[in-house]
Amino acid sequence: MSERALRGTRLVVTSYETDRGIDLAPRQAVEYACQNGHRFEMPFSVEAEIPPEWECKVCGAQALLVDGDGPEEKKGKPARTHWDMLMERRTREELEEVLAERLAVLRSGTMNIAVHPRDSKRKSA
């Protein structure tokens, strides 16, 4: 091609290829419906695994597959509390022993409470 033929043809934007003579993969139309009443179809390959939910084209909410199984419930782990983590490290007898020791120290009054250096300077001034 000469340079004149390419001048002003917007090669980046326009494609000169056609779909003639091309066999597309077999497709199926799958219908989804969202909770806001919007219904739409999505094309999928016949061989593709169909997802049970899809984002609604209109409002962006989760749309569910029409006449299909709902999404599988995800099994979540129960929340681990501080008590659960403590019981992984200590037995109940050990905890009772530590509690008895700390209560004895508190009751004896021999516990040394650290004083911040700034607080001692203020009292002396």
Side-chain angles (χ1 to χ4, degrees), residues 7-123:
R7 199 174 289 165
T9 59
R10 300 182 343 194
L11 285 176
V12 176
V13 177
T14 307
S15 172
Y16 293 109
E17 294 184 20
T18 62
D19 292 339
R20 274 187 251 142
I22 297 175
D23 293 329
L24 299 175
R27 299 175 189 263
Q28 61 180 333
V30 179
E31 188 175 13
Y32 288 92
C34 80
Q35 60 190 359
N36 297 327
H38 304 121
R39 294 177 81 91
F40 59 95
E41 289 187 349
M42 292 296 299
F44 286 96
S45 170
V46 175
E47 300 168 356
E49 184 178 330
I50 307 301
E53 56 186 7
W54 197 266
E55 184 178 314
C56 178
K57 289 180 166 184
V58 180
C59 65
Q62 286 295 332
L64 298 176
L65 184 63
V66 175
D67 299 330
D69 297 332
E72 294 179 9
E73 293 289 328
K74 293 182 180 178
K75 293 182 181 179
K77 293 181 4 180
R80 274 179 48 190
T81 63
H82 294 291
W83 179 252
D84 294 333
M85 290 184 268
L86 183 63
M87 293 307 290
E88 289 174 5
R89 296 189 311 264
R90 306 270 179 133
T91 64
R92 195 167 196 91
E93 292 80 24
E94 290 174 331
L95 291 173
E96 288 175 2
E97 185 179 325
V98 169
L99 177 62
E101 289 174 5
R102 297 310 298 164
L103 285 174
V105 169
L106 285 173
R107 289 182 183 137
S108 69
T110 59
M111 191 166 129
N112 186 7
I113 299 175
V115 178
H116 196 276
R118 285 188 296 184
D119 293 337
S120 62
K121 288 179 185 177
R122 286 182 191 161
K123 289 179 184 176

